Amino acid sequence: MAFNSCFLSTFAADFKRHTRMTSREIRRQFLDFFASKGHKIIPSAPMVAKGDPTLMFINSGMAPLKDFFLGNQTPPSKRVADTQKCLRVSGKHNDLEDVGMDGYHHTMFEMLGNWSFGDYFKKEALAWSWELLTEVYKIPKDRLYVSVFKGDEKENLPFDQDAHDIWKQFIAEDRILAFGKKENFWEMGEQGPCGPCSEIHVDLRSDAERARVDGKTLVNADDPNVIEVWNNVFMQFNRKADGSLEELPAKSVDTGMGFERLVRAVQQSDSNYDTDLWKPLFNFLEQFSQKSYQGTYPGVHENWNKTDVAMRVVADHLRAVSFAIADGEMPSNTGAGYVIRRILRRAVRYYFSVLDIKEPVLYRMTPILAEEFGDVFPELKAQIHFITEVILSEERAFLRTLESGLKRIEHLDIQNNTVDGEQAFELFDTFGFPFDLTQLIARERGWSVDEAGFQQALARQKDRSRKDAVRQVGDWMVLRDEADVAFVGYDQLELENAYVTKYRTVAAKGATQYQLVLNRTPFYPEGGGQVGDTGWMYFGNEPIRVLDTKKENTLVIHVVEKLPEAIDLDSVVCTVDASKRRLTESNHSATHLLHAALRQVLGAHVQQKGSYLDAQTLRFDFQHFQKMSEEELARVEQLVNEKIRQNVALEEARNIPLDAAKAAGATMLFGEKYGETVRMITFDPTYSIELCGGCHVPYTGKIGFFKITAETAVAAGVRRIEAVTGLGAEQYVSTLEREVGAIKNALKAKDPVKAVSDLQESNRKLAKEMEQLNLLMAAQIREGLRTQFQELNGVHFLATTVALSDANALKTLVTELEREKGNAVLVVGSVSGDKPSLTIKISDELVKAKGLNAGTMVRELAQEFLKGGGGGQPGFANAGGSDASGLPAALEAVKRYL
RNA sequence: GGGGGAUUAGCUCAGCUGGUAGAGCGCUUGCAUGGCAUGCAAGAGGUCAUCGGUUCGAAUCCGUUAUCCUCCA
């Protein structure tokens, strides 16, 4: 971090100014430019990765297009361009802790990209990128450098002469730099398509600084002002399992350009954050916090300002969180949702402690974002109320956590003015109180915090979790190299001549799982909320149980109990567990009817937020802001059952263009990635049209009967309905009936509700009377005892047994007698069942004056005479035992203490 | 998926190494003031989440289940 700062401030002044393009225009220009070169512009995929177990969030422009490169799917066009929402917070690209500290890290960012799938190659790609940067965006050519792959001897890969020669036509040869595998050779993973790449770097330093140090030496050298803007990857090889490379028959291009950086370069700004993308957010924060944004950075400016870091953190994280929620990822405590929660909380931490804002504020900023991105990413604007609501409730929850953490710090046991690591870790781990806040508060009070101890404890916890998550995924054993898997389960539940294309074993926590992929399968893989099918496969005479069916990208994976012996048989018979599937279908179709009914009864804001369907039950989560009333639930149930009785036929359109489905008015979901063609499920075109890949009943009558069993809240603005259908509903109702019948029977009442409340009432009365009687009895006993006191060594002494078994009554008895007499020692024995108890009361003044202790007395007596034990305070104690015959002796023995 | 923690009055929470349940707010009633803010007094309200164990005795110790919070993966 040794770069000098003073040049930053002068940079904008001496960069030759052009007309300033807004970020909106810059994005537009990119898409228009590639459209004019024959590219199909596709919408951004949701930021949350679905169906890809290796990836939580989309972290690059090409990630959602992986299947096109792998050949698993056909692209909609050979030339494609888009802007893709990306999130980098976990795994290899973990930028979270850097965000805010510098001018170029973001959690969520846009990546512009253009692709060729076996169409154009290096010549066009490089020429176009040069044209766009220099002619459309008018970035001065003398600020640009390009890099090419210099070759690698170990891999036997040559210098990328082609790229070098192409660049020579546009740029001086001394600005073409060569780098090795690390910078200029790109691979998707251990295996698969890969190839050399060529990057374009831009030098954004001031003229003075540029004159002083040659920009060429700063390329790929971590200078914050000499940065890569565009990477062109040329996929020309396939990396095989043994590590060797083979030339691909069809060569592809994959490019990626960070949008925020590009805007900075075009708008000639000091950093990504000093652009019109962020201004509105900073303006709001300045106004709200009454602090100003100066644009300083630690390590760059000597007097950098914490406020600046905080505002960048808040603005950046707000974007990430809002888009994630818009794409359907709710903050939660596991998985991807937890990542979102952590980002949001990091923002709260910063505004809470640095901007000194102690109330929710992120939720106030969502409309600014919605306005800014309304045209490119409509999902934000369309769900603005929902997103705002979710963020607000998260903020509130975390502020509450902070508050209770602050309280907890007050009760810390501080030794040597140090908060030990274990304490700090407990605050963090158990109570969610951030470590940096613990440090901050400690500093204010002149304590130090044992950071090493904290880190140790954290490392231990990570270790534990990781150990648990160890999974040994075996390589796919490929029997037949076929990419396509045909799912035939919509039409048939049995299949006779399938064969295994590949298989593998997965070991986790001692258990081994076997996974098979077939060329064709009737087994439905878990997806769209519907559980995976189970059933049997027969390899000749050998039956193999199918435990579950899952999906990984486009692969249908069958989880089986063991590997068959004749695994390469080509006449495998598949049989889906039909009764389970049929019940699941009923639940799935009922869910569609329910969805439509909810929209009719509650309004069009009802958006599906998730569902779960198996053979027993259905669960449907949806956007709605208040608890549903009894009447609303009844109407929804009624509507669904009406549709069932109408016995509506299923209309299934398997491969219709997305646009046609839209035109038909199909219900679409945000955060869902739709292909070019979709499957459309209709039950009455005026009632329910949904895009859906799941399995359905042919006629709604098959569902039989629909019954809602619960309506609850699952998150801010999200409600859940649980329901049963058909057989399940029948069982549910008959169970209820049996229960009510049993209650009626027991009460011998026609109206069990009234009978129960009467019963409760009379029970309360009886309890009251009982208490009164007990008191009365105690009063009488007290009366009798009053005269039995003895004088013993100057104290009022009473030792006796009474016929009270209630411990509470005994307590009041001795307390009141003591208060009347004063200067007294009372010992009362009683028997409850066959168990003795002993209660001792000693006046306070005697406790002090004579050092008497009821607790020790009672314990010793109980041990000696009652085969028991006891204890209490010096003035009042009681004991119990198991030998009632010792009671008189115990009472007699008390005297020895006086 | 793995760890840690919580669950006590309508609400927010105390409750020490086991000895039999408490505060503040709220609620009800009465009194004071012309009314309100308020003050005073009395009172109601608890299977200490659940089931089981240890113990003479469990809100307290141990285990089960449920729900919630939190950290890690």
Side-chain angles (χ1 to χ4, degrees), chain A residues 48-68:
Chain A
V48 184
K50 293 210 173 123
D52 187 344
T54 64
L55 206 60
M56 221 180 242
F57 298 103
I58 298 299
N59 61 2
S60 69
M62 72 80 62
L65 309 175
K66 219 155 116 181
D67 274 350
F68 300 146

Side-chain angles (χ1 to χ4, degrees), chain A residues 19 93 110 234 289 350 374 496 498 531 591 675 683 763 781-782:
Chain A
T19 352
H93 298 290
E110 285 178 65
F234 310 114
S289 67
Y350 271 91
E496 296 212 327
V531 292
T591 304
F683 289 107
N763 192 35
I781 290 171
R782 192 163 74 231

Side-chain angles (χ1 to χ4, degrees), chain A residues 521-774:
Chain A
T521 178
F523 288 95
Y524 179 82
E526 179 178 353
Q530 184 182 329
V531 292
D533 277 334
T534 58
W536 294 89
M537 286 182 192
Y538 299 90
F539 288 76
N541 291 325
E542 190 186 11
I544 300 284
R545 190 195 289 275
V546 178
L547 305 168
D548 195 7
T549 312
K550 294 193 269 198
K551 207 151 109 175
E552 237 177 77
N553 295 315
T554 50
L555 288 182
V556 176
I557 294 172
H558 305 82
V559 179
V560 293
E561 64 177 341
K562 62 180 177 192
L563 288 179
E565 277 167 31
I567 198 161
D568 50 358
L569 207 72
D570 57 6
S571 56
V572 178
V573 176
C574 299
T575 311
V576 174
D577 180 336
S579 77
K580 191 184 150 193
R581 164 72 94 77
R582 295 294 176 219
L583 291 168
T584 308
E585 284 174 356
S586 279
N587 279 332
H588 199 158
S589 299
T591 304
H592 284 214
L593 301 183
L594 169 64
H595 190 184
L598 285 168
R599 290 171 76 95
Q600 240 178 60
V601 172
L602 302 177
H605 65 277
V606 170
Q607 266 270 337
Q608 176 165 353
K609 280 287 156 209
S611 64
Y612 177 82
L613 319 150
D614 61 19
Q616 280 76 42
T617 172
L618 72 91
R619 215 163 61 197
F620 185 73
D621 296 348
F622 58 100
Q623 237 182 79
H624 186 56
F625 291 101
Q626 58 224 319
K627 188 169 173 55
M628 285 177 68
S629 67
E630 298 268 328
E631 297 80 55
E632 285 167 338
L633 282 169
R635 266 166 61 207
V636 165
E637 206 174 85
Q638 221 174 354
L639 203 54
V640 172
N641 279 314
E642 203 177 297
K643 283 290 159 192
I644 291 172
R645 284 191 298 270
Q646 281 172 11
N647 203 17
V648 182
L650 163 73
E651 292 171 50
E652 181 196 0
R654 241 174 240 182
N655 261 309
I656 67 163
L658 184 61
D659 292 338
K662 262 187 211 165
T667 308
M668 315 257 299
L669 301 180
F670 291 112
E672 202 58 49
K673 187 177 155 195
Y674 294 109
E676 282 293 294
T677 61
V678 292
R679 180 163 175 267
M680 189 168 84
I681 296 295
T682 307
F683 289 107
D684 179 353
T686 63
Y687 184 71
S688 163
I689 311 178
E690 290 197 39
L691 303 185
C692 177
C695 304
H696 289 275
V697 295
Y699 292 92
T700 57
K702 287 240 174 196
I703 299 168
F705 177 43
F706 170 83
K707 182 85 197 119
I708 294 174
T709 56
E711 194 264 358
T712 50
V714 276
V718 181
R719 315 269 332 160
R720 167 174 297 169
I721 282 185
E722 288 171 73
V724 285
T725 66
L727 190 61
E730 195 183 305
Q731 284 165 352
Y732 176 77
V733 171
S734 67
T735 305
L736 276 183
E737 202 182 8
R738 236 193 344 270
E739 282 169 4
V740 174
I743 293 172
K744 274 187 182 170
N745 221 340
L747 295 172
K748 308 232 182 306
K750 276 201 178 121
D751 183 350
V753 179
K754 186 173 177 301
V756 167
S757 76
D758 284 354
L759 214 63
Q760 280 177 326
E761 182 60 26
S762 76
N763 192 35
R764 268 163 58 134
K765 254 191 211 153
L766 284 175
K768 276 260 162 63
E769 276 174 29
M770 189 78 181
E771 207 181 312
Q772 295 289 325
L773 273 174
N774 267 330

Side-chain angles (χ1 to χ4, degrees), chain A residues 39 62 65-71 73 75 77-80 114-125 160 186 188 193-198 231-238 247-255:
Chain A
H39 289 67
M62 72 80 62
L65 309 175
K66 219 155 116 181
D67 274 350
F68 300 146
F69 287 108
L70 291 170
Q73 257 185 316
S77 161
K78 288 191 156 189
R79 299 181 179 188
V80 161
N114 57 292
W115 287 275
S116 152
F117 302 109
D119 191 43
Y120 63 80
F121 205 47
K122 295 181 191 177
K123 189 168 133 241
E124 295 86 344
D160 192 347
W186 191 90
M188 192 183 303
C194 57
C197 62
S198 177
N231 190 7
N232 278 262
V233 180
F234 310 114
M235 309 249 205
Q236 62 187 108
F237 301 108
N238 181 32
E247 193 96 359
L248 282 172
K251 297 184 173 61
S252 298
V253 176
D254 153 32
T255 87

Side-chain angles (χ1 to χ4, degrees), chain A residues 31-155:
Chain A
L31 298 174
D32 287 351
F33 179 83
F34 281 102
S36 78
K37 307 286 184 199
H39 289 67
K40 182 174 173 62
I41 308 301
I42 57 171
S44 172
M47 202 162 65
V48 184
K50 293 210 173 123
D52 187 344
T54 64
L55 206 60
M56 221 180 242
F57 298 103
I58 298 299
N59 61 2
S60 69
M62 72 80 62
L65 309 175
K66 219 155 116 181
D67 274 350
F68 300 146
F69 287 108
L70 291 170
N72 292 343
Q73 257 185 316
T74 332
S77 161
K78 288 191 156 189
R79 299 181 179 188
V80 161
D82 73 358
T83 175
Q84 172 65 45
K85 294 171 283 183
C86 301
L87 195 66
R88 286 192 180 171
V89 280
S90 53
K92 192 172 70 171
H93 298 290
N94 189 347
D95 294 350
L96 187 57
E97 288 305 317
D98 293 326
V99 171
M101 309 309 282
D102 57 40
Y104 51 93
H105 274 101
H106 306 287
T107 44
M108 182 246 169
F109 59 95
E110 285 178 65
M111 193 172 271
L112 303 167
N114 57 292
W115 287 275
S116 152
F117 302 109
D119 191 43
Y120 63 80
F121 205 47
K122 295 181 191 177
K123 189 168 133 241
E124 295 86 344
L126 294 180
W128 286 337
S129 52
W130 187 256
E131 182 187 341
L132 182 64
L133 289 181
T134 59
E135 282 168 40
V136 178
Y137 294 140
K138 306 219 185 299
I139 296 176
K141 292 181 185 168
D142 66 344
R143 288 180 177 271
L144 294 175
Y145 295 89
V146 298
S147 70
V148 298
F149 181 50
K150 77 172 172 195
D152 189 284
E153 274 178 29
K154 263 192 230 145
E155 300 266 14

Side-chain angles (χ1 to χ4, degrees), chain A residues 205-462:
Chain A
R205 293 172 304 152
S206 67
D207 288 340
E209 185 63 9
R210 284 203 298 152
R212 202 173 69 83
V213 179
D214 188 354
K216 180 158 56 184
T217 63
L218 298 175
V219 170
N220 280 336
D222 281 337
D223 188 297
N225 297 311
V226 181
I227 54 177
E228 171 210 336
V229 283
W230 206 341
N231 190 7
N232 278 262
V233 180
F234 310 114
M235 309 249 205
Q236 62 187 108
F237 301 108
N238 181 32
R239 167 93 58 195
K240 296 204 291 190
D242 62 5
S244 66
L245 294 170
E246 69 180 359
E247 193 96 359
L248 282 172
K251 297 184 173 61
S252 298
V253 176
D254 153 32
T255 87
M257 173 155 61
F259 176 60
E260 288 74 7
R261 279 182 184 193
L262 174 69
V263 174
R264 175 194 168 188
V266 176
Q267 293 187 351
Q268 316 154 17
S269 310
D270 290 344
S271 89
N272 294 5
Y273 287 93
D274 294 311
T275 63
D276 67 330
L277 279 168
W278 305 90
K279 277 276 150 52
L281 296 173
F282 290 152
N283 287 346
F284 174 87
L285 283 172
E286 286 187 313
Q287 212 191 347
F288 197 85
S289 67
Q290 298 291 314
K291 296 179 194 304
S292 71
Y293 180 75
Q294 313 276 359
T296 62
Y297 297 90
V300 177
H301 303 91
E302 256 176 47
N303 295 317
W304 64 280
N305 208 329
K306 263 191 188 166
T307 307
D308 293 346
V309 175
M311 287 196 188
R312 284 190 293 268
V313 168
V314 171
D316 174 275
H317 291 5
L318 170 75
R319 284 189 4 163
V321 169
S322 302
F323 276 103
I325 296 170
D327 280 345
E329 193 59 60
M330 301 286 285
S332 77
N333 57 2
T334 62
Y338 181 56
V339 175
I340 302 306
R341 175 168 283 173
R342 255 172 44 196
I343 299 173
L344 186 142
R345 291 188 168 188
R346 186 163 184 261
V348 176
R349 245 160 61 204
Y350 271 91
Y351 74 61
F352 184 86
S353 58
V354 181
L355 300 183
D356 208 29
I357 297 173
K358 310 292 184 198
E359 57 178 297
V361 64
L362 296 174
Y363 81 102
R364 292 171 186 270
M365 299 164 74
T366 50
I368 303 173
L369 277 188
E371 196 42 52
E372 192 175 327
F373 290 102
D375 53 344
V376 241
F377 303 120
E379 61 273 24
L380 211 57
K381 204 167 184 173
Q383 302 179 89
I384 186 71
H385 291 299
F386 175 69
I387 296 167
T388 305
E389 190 78 12
V390 171
I391 290 180
L392 173 60
S393 91
E394 276 294 309
E395 287 189 88
R396 281 199 182 131
F398 188 53
L399 287 169
R400 248 200 322 272
T401 301
L402 289 183
E403 208 175 301
S404 67
L406 289 174
K407 227 190 264 176
R408 204 157 280 276
I409 285 188
E410 300 303 323
H411 296 116
L412 281 185
D413 179 23
I414 303 295
Q415 309 264 337
N416 307 325
N417 271 333
T418 305
V419 181
D420 70 53
E422 286 294 333
Q423 284 177 323
F425 183 71
E426 194 196 14
L427 278 172
F428 168 71
D429 180 51
T430 303
F431 302 103
F433 197 73
F435 182 65
D436 51 1
L437 278 189
T438 303
Q439 281 181 313
L440 193 79
I441 291 163
R443 212 173 303 131
E444 278 168 9
R445 303 187 176 188
W447 304 335
S448 63
V449 183
D450 171 19
E451 182 162 358
F454 174 85
Q455 294 299 348
Q456 255 171 27
L458 183 65
R460 268 201 301 278
Q461 142 121 310
K462 286 191 178 181

